[in-house]
Amino acid sequence: MNLLAEWQKRGIKFDYYIPDMSLDTTSDLKRFRLYSFPDGPGQMLKQIDALGMKFGQYFSVTGGAWSNARYAKMAPSLVPSPQESSHTLFRYGFLAEMSGRLGSLCVASEPYFSTLKDAVVHHIKENHAGLIKFDGGDYYCNSTQHGHLPGKYSTEECLNHQI
C-alpha cells in the first residue's frame, strides 16, 4: 500500500487493488490467510479506500493448490486423473490415491460449487469487492461421481456452473 501511495504521488493511479493468493486455502474461501492478514483484511481495506481505489477479490476457479483443495470438505470435488479411481478414498485421514497432490477442483460438483459461490457473495457483501477475478479454470473433469458426464463431456456442465 505504501508503494501504491508513492506511485500516486507520481501520477500513477489504479482503479482496483486485487491481492493475489490472499485467501486461506484450508477454509471456505471467506477467510484471509492468517500469515498475511493476522488481524483480517480491515486495515488493507481502509488503505485501499484511503488511496481512492476499490477492492477486488481473486479466485482460482479450478486450481486446487491456489483455491481450497487443502480444505478437507473439498475432497469429493477433486478431479481424478484418468488413472485414478473416480471415488474419493481416504486412508488414515489422507486421500489415498492423491497423496501429496492437490490437483484440480470441479466447479460443477458439490460441495465446491456452493462453497465458491458463497465465498464470492461474502466478499461482495462483507468486503465490498467491486471486482471479482476468476482465474485458473480448465473446466474438464474425469469424475463419474460429480453429476455430469466425465471427460470432454464435462466441460459444458462446468462452464454452465461457472456462468
mmCIF file with all atom_site columns, all heavy atoms in Angstrom, residues 42-65:
data_model
loop_
_atom_site.group_PDB
_atom_site.id
_atom_site.type_symbol
_atom_site.label_atom_id
_atom_site.label_alt_id
_atom_site.label_comp_id
_atom_site.label_asym_id
_atom_site.label_entity_id
_atom_site.label_seq_id
_atom_site.pdbx_PDB_ins_code
_atom_site.Cartn_x
_atom_site.Cartn_y
_atom_site.Cartn_z
_atom_site.occupancy
_atom_site.B_iso_or_equiv
_atom_site.pdbx_formal_charge
_atom_site.auth_seq_id
_atom_site.auth_comp_id
_atom_site.auth_asym_id
_atom_site.auth_atom_id
_atom_site.pdbx_PDB_model_num
ATOM 1   N N   . GLY A 1 42 ? -9.235  -5.828  7.411   1.00 0.00 ? 42 GLY A N   1
ATOM 2   C CA  . GLY A 1 42 ? -9.712  -4.479  7.730   1.00 0.00 ? 42 GLY A CA  1
ATOM 3   C C   . GLY A 1 42 ? -8.738  -3.360  7.401   1.00 0.00 ? 42 GLY A C   1
ATOM 4   O O   . GLY A 1 42 ? -9.099  -2.371  6.751   1.00 0.00 ? 42 GLY A O   1
ATOM 5   N N   . GLN A 1 43 ? -7.502  -3.477  7.847   1.00 0.00 ? 43 GLN A N   1
ATOM 6   C CA  . GLN A 1 43 ? -6.507  -2.424  7.601   1.00 0.00 ? 43 GLN A CA  1
ATOM 7   C C   . GLN A 1 43 ? -6.233  -2.259  6.111   1.00 0.00 ? 43 GLN A C   1
ATOM 8   O O   . GLN A 1 43 ? -6.133  -1.145  5.602   1.00 0.00 ? 43 GLN A O   1
ATOM 9   C CB  . GLN A 1 43 ? -5.207  -2.732  8.354   1.00 0.00 ? 43 GLN A CB  1
ATOM 10  C CG  . GLN A 1 43 ? -4.161  -1.651  8.239   1.00 0.00 ? 43 GLN A CG  1
ATOM 11  C CD  . GLN A 1 43 ? -4.607  -0.332  8.839   1.00 0.00 ? 43 GLN A CD  1
ATOM 12  O OE1 . GLN A 1 43 ? -5.376  -0.285  9.802   1.00 0.00 ? 43 GLN A OE1 1
ATOM 13  N NE2 . GLN A 1 43 ? -4.155  0.762   8.266   1.00 0.00 ? 43 GLN A NE2 1
ATOM 14  N N   . MET A 1 44 ? -6.117  -3.381  5.394   1.00 0.00 ? 44 MET A N   1
ATOM 15  C CA  . MET A 1 44 ? -5.887  -3.313  3.948   1.00 0.00 ? 44 MET A CA  1
ATOM 16  C C   . MET A 1 44 ? -7.055  -2.606  3.258   1.00 0.00 ? 44 MET A C   1
ATOM 17  O O   . MET A 1 44 ? -6.850  -1.741  2.404   1.00 0.00 ? 44 MET A O   1
ATOM 18  C CB  . MET A 1 44 ? -5.718  -4.713  3.365   1.00 0.00 ? 44 MET A CB  1
ATOM 19  C CG  . MET A 1 44 ? -5.637  -4.733  1.836   1.00 0.00 ? 44 MET A CG  1
ATOM 20  S SD  . MET A 1 44 ? -5.674  -6.388  1.105   1.00 0.00 ? 44 MET A SD  1
ATOM 21  C CE  . MET A 1 44 ? -7.321  -6.961  1.534   1.00 0.00 ? 44 MET A CE  1
ATOM 22  N N   . LEU A 1 45 ? -8.281  -2.964  3.631   1.00 0.00 ? 45 LEU A N   1
ATOM 23  C CA  . LEU A 1 45 ? -9.455  -2.360  3.014   1.00 0.00 ? 45 LEU A CA  1
ATOM 24  C C   . LEU A 1 45 ? -9.518  -0.861  3.282   1.00 0.00 ? 45 LEU A C   1
ATOM 25  O O   . LEU A 1 45 ? -9.880  -0.077  2.395   1.00 0.00 ? 45 LEU A O   1
ATOM 26  C CB  . LEU A 1 45 ? -10.728 -3.059  3.493   1.00 0.00 ? 45 LEU A CB  1
ATOM 27  C CG  . LEU A 1 45 ? -10.860 -4.532  3.098   1.00 0.00 ? 45 LEU A CG  1
ATOM 28  C CD1 . LEU A 1 45 ? -12.040 -5.180  3.805   1.00 0.00 ? 45 LEU A CD1 1
ATOM 29  C CD2 . LEU A 1 45 ? -10.954 -4.694  1.593   1.00 0.00 ? 45 LEU A CD2 1
ATOM 30  N N   . LYS A 1 46 ? -9.131  -0.432  4.487   1.00 0.00 ? 46 LYS A N   1
ATOM 31  C CA  . LYS A 1 46 ? -9.090  1.000   4.818   1.00 0.00 ? 46 LYS A CA  1
ATOM 32  C C   . LYS A 1 46 ? -8.062  1.725   3.959   1.00 0.00 ? 46 LYS A C   1
ATOM 33  O O   . LYS A 1 46 ? -8.301  2.832   3.475   1.00 0.00 ? 46 LYS A O   1
ATOM 34  C CB  . LYS A 1 46 ? -8.767  1.199   6.297   1.00 0.00 ? 46 LYS A CB  1
ATOM 35  C CG  . LYS A 1 46 ? -9.902  0.882   7.225   1.00 0.00 ? 46 LYS A CG  1
ATOM 36  C CD  . LYS A 1 46 ? -9.484  1.080   8.673   1.00 0.00 ? 46 LYS A CD  1
ATOM 37  C CE  . LYS A 1 46 ? -10.531 0.543   9.614   1.00 0.00 ? 46 LYS A CE  1
ATOM 38  N NZ  . LYS A 1 46 ? -10.094 0.582   11.010  1.00 0.00 ? 46 LYS A NZ  1
ATOM 39  N N   . GLN A 1 47 ? -6.896  1.108   3.779   1.00 0.00 ? 47 GLN A N   1
ATOM 40  C CA  . GLN A 1 47 ? -5.846  1.733   2.971   1.00 0.00 ? 47 GLN A CA  1
ATOM 41  C C   . GLN A 1 47 ? -6.253  1.822   1.501   1.00 0.00 ? 47 GLN A C   1
ATOM 42  O O   . GLN A 1 47 ? -5.962  2.801   0.835   1.00 0.00 ? 47 GLN A O   1
ATOM 43  C CB  . GLN A 1 47 ? -4.537  0.965   3.123   1.00 0.00 ? 47 GLN A CB  1
ATOM 44  C CG  . GLN A 1 47 ? -3.894  1.167   4.473   1.00 0.00 ? 47 GLN A CG  1
ATOM 45  C CD  . GLN A 1 47 ? -2.610  0.369   4.608   1.00 0.00 ? 47 GLN A CD  1
ATOM 46  O OE1 . GLN A 1 47 ? -2.595  -0.842  4.383   1.00 0.00 ? 47 GLN A OE1 1
ATOM 47  N NE2 . GLN A 1 47 ? -1.542  1.049   4.976   1.00 0.00 ? 47 GLN A NE2 1
ATOM 48  N N   . ILE A 1 48 ? -6.912  0.791   1.003   1.00 0.00 ? 48 ILE A N   1
ATOM 49  C CA  . ILE A 1 48 ? -7.393  0.806   -0.382  1.00 0.00 ? 48 ILE A CA  1
ATOM 50  C C   . ILE A 1 48 ? -8.356  1.969   -0.572  1.00 0.00 ? 48 ILE A C   1
ATOM 51  O O   . ILE A 1 48 ? -8.252  2.738   -1.534  1.00 0.00 ? 48 ILE A O   1
ATOM 52  C CB  . ILE A 1 48 ? -8.068  -0.543  -0.737  1.00 0.00 ? 48 ILE A CB  1
ATOM 53  C CG1 . ILE A 1 48 ? -7.029  -1.652  -0.820  1.00 0.00 ? 48 ILE A CG1 1
ATOM 54  C CG2 . ILE A 1 48 ? -8.836  -0.435  -2.055  1.00 0.00 ? 48 ILE A CG2 1
ATOM 55  C CD1 . ILE A 1 48 ? -7.625  -3.047  -0.887  1.00 0.00 ? 48 ILE A CD1 1
ATOM 56  N N   . ASP A 1 49 ? -9.281  2.124   0.368   1.00 0.00 ? 49 ASP A N   1
ATOM 57  C CA  . ASP A 1 49 ? -10.261 3.206   0.308   1.00 0.00 ? 49 ASP A CA  1
ATOM 58  C C   . ASP A 1 49 ? -9.573  4.567   0.412   1.00 0.00 ? 49 ASP A C   1
ATOM 59  O O   . ASP A 1 49 ? -9.909  5.497   -0.326  1.00 0.00 ? 49 ASP A O   1
ATOM 60  C CB  . ASP A 1 49 ? -11.300 3.017   1.421   1.00 0.00 ? 49 ASP A CB  1
ATOM 61  C CG  . ASP A 1 49 ? -12.467 3.964   1.277   1.00 0.00 ? 49 ASP A CG  1
ATOM 62  O OD1 . ASP A 1 49 ? -13.047 4.028   0.165   1.00 0.00 ? 49 ASP A OD1 1
ATOM 63  O OD2 . ASP A 1 49 ? -12.814 4.637   2.272   1.00 0.00 ? 49 ASP A OD2 1
ATOM 64  N N   . ALA A 1 50 ? -8.615  4.687   1.319   1.00 0.00 ? 50 ALA A N   1
ATOM 65  C CA  . ALA A 1 50 ? -7.902  5.954   1.508   1.00 0.00 ? 50 ALA A CA  1
ATOM 66  C C   . ALA A 1 50 ? -7.134  6.368   0.248   1.00 0.00 ? 50 ALA A C   1
ATOM 67  O O   . ALA A 1 50 ? -6.951  7.562   -0.005  1.00 0.00 ? 50 ALA A O   1
ATOM 68  C CB  . ALA A 1 50 ? -6.949  5.849   2.704   1.00 0.00 ? 50 ALA A CB  1
ATOM 69  N N   . LEU A 1 51 ? -6.713  5.395   -0.526  1.00 0.00 ? 51 LEU A N   1
ATOM 70  C CA  . LEU A 1 51 ? -5.995  5.692   -1.771  1.00 0.00 ? 51 LEU A CA  1
ATOM 71  C C   . LEU A 1 51 ? -6.955  5.922   -2.941  1.00 0.00 ? 51 LEU A C   1
ATOM 72  O O   . LEU A 1 51 ? -6.516  6.111   -4.075  1.00 0.00 ? 51 LEU A O   1
ATOM 73  C CB  . LEU A 1 51 ? -5.030  4.554   -2.104  1.00 0.00 ? 51 LEU A CB  1
ATOM 74  C CG  . LEU A 1 51 ? -3.829  4.415   -1.173  1.00 0.00 ? 51 LEU A CG  1
ATOM 75  C CD1 . LEU A 1 51 ? -3.063  3.128   -1.466  1.00 0.00 ? 51 LEU A CD1 1
ATOM 76  C CD2 . LEU A 1 51 ? -2.908  5.625   -1.299  1.00 0.00 ? 51 LEU A CD2 1
ATOM 77  N N   . GLY A 1 52 ? -8.250  5.902   -2.672  1.00 0.00 ? 52 GLY A N   1
ATOM 78  C CA  . GLY A 1 52 ? -9.239  6.154   -3.714  1.00 0.00 ? 52 GLY A CA  1
ATOM 79  C C   . GLY A 1 52 ? -9.414  4.997   -4.683  1.00 0.00 ? 52 GLY A C   1
ATOM 80  O O   . GLY A 1 52 ? -9.880  5.192   -5.815  1.00 0.00 ? 52 GLY A O   1
ATOM 81  N N   . MET A 1 53 ? -9.044  3.810   -4.258  1.00 0.00 ? 53 MET A N   1
ATOM 82  C CA  . MET A 1 53 ? -9.203  2.631   -5.101  1.00 0.00 ? 53 MET A CA  1
ATOM 83  C C   . MET A 1 53 ? -10.368 1.795   -4.582  1.00 0.00 ? 53 MET A C   1
ATOM 84  O O   . MET A 1 53 ? -10.895 2.038   -3.510  1.00 0.00 ? 53 MET A O   1
ATOM 85  C CB  . MET A 1 53 ? -7.917  1.782   -5.092  1.00 0.00 ? 53 MET A CB  1
ATOM 86  C CG  . MET A 1 53 ? -6.723  2.460   -5.722  1.00 0.00 ? 53 MET A CG  1
ATOM 87  S SD  . MET A 1 53 ? -5.261  1.385   -5.838  1.00 0.00 ? 53 MET A SD  1
ATOM 88  C CE  . MET A 1 53 ? -4.926  1.030   -4.134  1.00 0.00 ? 53 MET A CE  1
ATOM 89  N N   . LYS A 1 54 ? -10.737 0.798   -5.360  1.00 0.00 ? 54 LYS A N   1
ATOM 90  C CA  . LYS A 1 54 ? -11.762 -0.148  -4.966  1.00 0.00 ? 54 LYS A CA  1
ATOM 91  C C   . LYS A 1 54 ? -11.101 -1.506  -4.764  1.00 0.00 ? 54 LYS A C   1
ATOM 92  O O   . LYS A 1 54 ? -10.101 -1.817  -5.390  1.00 0.00 ? 54 LYS A O   1
ATOM 93  C CB  . LYS A 1 54 ? -12.843 -0.250  -6.036  1.00 0.00 ? 54 LYS A CB  1
ATOM 94  C CG  . LYS A 1 54 ? -13.601 1.038   -6.234  1.00 0.00 ? 54 LYS A CG  1
ATOM 95  C CD  . LYS A 1 54 ? -14.563 0.923   -7.383  1.00 0.00 ? 54 LYS A CD  1
ATOM 96  C CE  . LYS A 1 54 ? -15.187 2.273   -7.679  1.00 0.00 ? 54 LYS A CE  1
ATOM 97  N NZ  . LYS A 1 54 ? -15.962 2.257   -8.906  1.00 0.00 ? 54 LYS A NZ  1
ATOM 98  N N   . PHE A 1 55 ? -11.716 -2.302  -3.893  1.00 0.00 ? 55 PHE A N   1
ATOM 99  C CA  . PHE A 1 55 ? -11.198 -3.625  -3.589  1.00 0.00 ? 55 PHE A CA  1
ATOM 100 C C   . PHE A 1 55 ? -11.739 -4.641  -4.590  1.00 0.00 ? 55 PHE A C   1
ATOM 101 O O   . PHE A 1 55 ? -12.902 -4.605  -4.968  1.00 0.00 ? 55 PHE A O   1
ATOM 102 C CB  . PHE A 1 55 ? -11.608 -4.033  -2.173  1.00 0.00 ? 55 PHE A CB  1
ATOM 103 C CG  . PHE A 1 55 ? -11.301 -5.451  -1.813  1.00 0.00 ? 55 PHE A CG  1
ATOM 104 C CD1 . PHE A 1 55 ? -9.990  -5.886  -1.709  1.00 0.00 ? 55 PHE A CD1 1
ATOM 105 C CD2 . PHE A 1 55 ? -12.321 -6.360  -1.586  1.00 0.00 ? 55 PHE A CD2 1
ATOM 106 C CE1 . PHE A 1 55 ? -9.701  -7.202  -1.379  1.00 0.00 ? 55 PHE A CE1 1
ATOM 107 C CE2 . PHE A 1 55 ? -12.048 -7.675  -1.245  1.00 0.00 ? 55 PHE A CE2 1
ATOM 108 C CZ  . PHE A 1 55 ? -10.731 -8.094  -1.144  1.00 0.00 ? 55 PHE A CZ  1
ATOM 109 N N   . GLY A 1 56 ? -10.878 -5.550  -5.022  1.00 0.00 ? 56 GLY A N   1
ATOM 110 C CA  . GLY A 1 56 ? -11.279 -6.670  -5.857  1.00 0.00 ? 56 GLY A CA  1
ATOM 111 C C   . GLY A 1 56 ? -10.752 -7.954  -5.248  1.00 0.00 ? 56 GLY A C   1
ATOM 112 O O   . GLY A 1 56 ? -9.768  -7.946  -4.508  1.00 0.00 ? 56 GLY A O   1
ATOM 113 N N   . GLN A 1 57 ? -11.424 -9.060  -5.516  1.00 0.00 ? 57 GLN A N   1
ATOM 114 C CA  . GLN A 1 57 ? -11.004 -10.340 -4.955  1.00 0.00 ? 57 GLN A CA  1
ATOM 115 C C   . GLN A 1 57 ? -10.714 -11.346 -6.059  1.00 0.00 ? 57 GLN A C   1
ATOM 116 O O   . GLN A 1 57 ? -11.484 -11.485 -6.986  1.00 0.00 ? 57 GLN A O   1
ATOM 117 C CB  . GLN A 1 57 ? -12.070 -10.893 -4.008  1.00 0.00 ? 57 GLN A CB  1
ATOM 118 C CG  . GLN A 1 57 ? -11.665 -12.165 -3.307  1.00 0.00 ? 57 GLN A CG  1
ATOM 119 C CD  . GLN A 1 57 ? -10.399 -12.006 -2.492  1.00 0.00 ? 57 GLN A CD  1
ATOM 120 O OE1 . GLN A 1 57 ? -10.326 -11.197 -1.583  1.00 0.00 ? 57 GLN A OE1 1
ATOM 121 N NE2 . GLN A 1 57 ? -9.368  -12.758 -2.832  1.00 0.00 ? 57 GLN A NE2 1
ATOM 122 N N   . TYR A 1 58 ? -9.594  -12.046 -5.919  1.00 0.00 ? 58 TYR A N   1
ATOM 123 C CA  . TYR A 1 58 ? -9.129  -13.075 -6.852  1.00 0.00 ? 58 TYR A CA  1
ATOM 124 C C   . TYR A 1 58 ? -9.597  -14.440 -6.385  1.00 0.00 ? 58 TYR A C   1
ATOM 125 O O   . TYR A 1 58 ? -9.526  -14.759 -5.196  1.00 0.00 ? 58 TYR A O   1
ATOM 126 C CB  . TYR A 1 58 ? -7.591  -13.026 -6.888  1.00 0.00 ? 58 TYR A CB  1
ATOM 127 C CG  . TYR A 1 58 ? -6.925  -14.246 -7.458  1.00 0.00 ? 58 TYR A CG  1
ATOM 128 C CD1 . TYR A 1 58 ? -6.639  -14.329 -8.807  1.00 0.00 ? 58 TYR A CD1 1
ATOM 129 C CD2 . TYR A 1 58 ? -6.580  -15.318 -6.640  1.00 0.00 ? 58 TYR A CD2 1
ATOM 130 C CE1 . TYR A 1 58 ? -6.013  -15.453 -9.331  1.00 0.00 ? 58 TYR A CE1 1
ATOM 131 C CE2 . TYR A 1 58 ? -5.956  -16.438 -7.161  1.00 0.00 ? 58 TYR A CE2 1
ATOM 132 C CZ  . TYR A 1 58 ? -5.678  -16.501 -8.497  1.00 0.00 ? 58 TYR A CZ  1
ATOM 133 O OH  . TYR A 1 58 ? -5.070  -17.614 -9.010  1.00 0.00 ? 58 TYR A OH  1
ATOM 134 N N   . PHE A 1 59 ? -10.069 -15.251 -7.322  1.00 0.00 ? 59 PHE A N   1
ATOM 135 C CA  . PHE A 1 59 ? -10.401 -16.652 -7.048  1.00 0.00 ? 59 PHE A CA  1
ATOM 136 C C   . PHE A 1 59 ? -9.790  -17.520 -8.136  1.00 0.00 ? 59 PHE A C   1
ATOM 137 O O   . PHE A 1 59 ? -9.977  -17.252 -9.324  1.00 0.00 ? 59 PHE A O   1
ATOM 138 C CB  . PHE A 1 59 ? -11.918 -16.893 -7.062  1.00 0.00 ? 59 PHE A CB  1
ATOM 139 C CG  . PHE A 1 59 ? -12.644 -16.272 -5.917  1.00 0.00 ? 59 PHE A CG  1
ATOM 140 C CD1 . PHE A 1 59 ? -13.180 -15.005 -6.029  1.00 0.00 ? 59 PHE A CD1 1
ATOM 141 C CD2 . PHE A 1 59 ? -12.783 -16.956 -4.713  1.00 0.00 ? 59 PHE A CD2 1
ATOM 142 C CE1 . PHE A 1 59 ? -13.851 -14.429 -4.971  1.00 0.00 ? 59 PHE A CE1 1
ATOM 143 C CE2 . PHE A 1 59 ? -13.448 -16.381 -3.652  1.00 0.00 ? 59 PHE A CE2 1
ATOM 144 C CZ  . PHE A 1 59 ? -13.990 -15.109 -3.781  1.00 0.00 ? 59 PHE A CZ  1
ATOM 145 N N   . SER A 1 60 ? -9.065  -18.551 -7.734  1.00 0.00 ? 60 SER A N   1
ATOM 146 C CA  . SER A 1 60 ? -8.645  -19.579 -8.678  1.00 0.00 ? 60 SER A CA  1
ATOM 147 C C   . SER A 1 60 ? -9.812  -20.543 -8.773  1.00 0.00 ? 60 SER A C   1
ATOM 148 O O   . SER A 1 60 ? -10.221 -21.132 -7.774  1.00 0.00 ? 60 SER A O   1
ATOM 149 C CB  . SER A 1 60 ? -7.401  -20.306 -8.172  1.00 0.00 ? 60 SER A CB  1
ATOM 150 O OG  . SER A 1 60 ? -7.092  -21.377 -9.024  1.00 0.00 ? 60 SER A OG  1
ATOM 151 N N   . VAL A 1 61 ? -10.369 -20.702 -9.966  1.00 0.00 ? 61 VAL A N   1
ATOM 152 C CA  . VAL A 1 61 ? -11.592 -21.483 -10.098 1.00 0.00 ? 61 VAL A CA  1
ATOM 153 C C   . VAL A 1 61 ? -11.338 -22.971 -9.912  1.00 0.00 ? 61 VAL A C   1
ATOM 154 O O   . VAL A 1 61 ? -11.960 -23.620 -9.080  1.00 0.00 ? 61 VAL A O   1
ATOM 155 C CB  . VAL A 1 61 ? -12.276 -21.210 -11.454 1.00 0.00 ? 61 VAL A CB  1
ATOM 156 C CG1 . VAL A 1 61 ? -13.531 -22.049 -11.600 1.00 0.00 ? 61 VAL A CG1 1
ATOM 157 C CG2 . VAL A 1 61 ? -12.606 -19.740 -11.588 1.00 0.00 ? 61 VAL A CG2 1
ATOM 158 N N   . THR A 1 62 ? -10.430 -23.548 -10.661 1.00 0.00 ? 62 THR A N   1
ATOM 159 C CA  . THR A 1 62 ? -10.233 -25.000 -10.577 1.00 0.00 ? 62 THR A CA  1
ATOM 160 C C   . THR A 1 62 ? -8.852  -25.400 -10.061 1.00 0.00 ? 62 THR A C   1
ATOM 161 O O   . THR A 1 62 ? -8.635  -26.568 -9.797  1.00 0.00 ? 62 THR A O   1
ATOM 162 C CB  . THR A 1 62 ? -10.470 -25.671 -11.949 1.00 0.00 ? 62 THR A CB  1
ATOM 163 O OG1 . THR A 1 62 ? -9.521  -25.173 -12.884 1.00 0.00 ? 62 THR A OG1 1
ATOM 164 C CG2 . THR A 1 62 ? -11.880 -25.411 -12.444 1.00 0.00 ? 62 THR A CG2 1
ATOM 165 N N   . GLY A 1 63 ? -7.942  -24.482 -9.935  1.00 0.00 ? 63 GLY A N   1
ATOM 166 C CA  . GLY A 1 63 ? -6.597  -24.796 -9.455  1.00 0.00 ? 63 GLY A CA  1
ATOM 167 C C   . GLY A 1 63 ? -6.616  -25.130 -7.972  1.00 0.00 ? 63 GLY A C   1
ATOM 168 O O   . GLY A 1 63 ? -6.720  -24.239 -7.130  1.00 0.00 ? 63 GLY A O   1
ATOM 169 N N   . GLY A 1 64 ? -6.555  -26.398 -7.650  1.00 0.00 ? 64 GLY A N   1
ATOM 170 C CA  . GLY A 1 64 ? -6.691  -26.848 -6.274  1.00 0.00 ? 64 GLY A CA  1
ATOM 171 C C   . GLY A 1 64 ? -5.731  -26.204 -5.296  1.00 0.00 ? 64 GLY A C   1
ATOM 172 O O   . GLY A 1 64 ? -6.130  -25.766 -4.222  1.00 0.00 ? 64 GLY A O   1
ATOM 173 N N   . ALA A 1 65 ? -4.463  -26.124 -5.628  1.00 0.00 ? 65 ALA A N   1
ATOM 174 C CA  . ALA A 1 65 ? -3.466  -25.557 -4.718  1.00 0.00 ? 65 ALA A CA  1
ATOM 175 C C   . ALA A 1 65 ? -3.688  -24.062 -4.513  1.00 0.00 ? 65 ALA A C   1
ATOM 176 O O   . ALA A 1 65 ? -3.357  -23.521 -3.465  1.00 0.00 ? 65 ALA A O   1
ATOM 177 C CB  . ALA A 1 65 ? -2.058  -25.805 -5.251  1.00 0.00 ? 65 ALA A CB  1
#
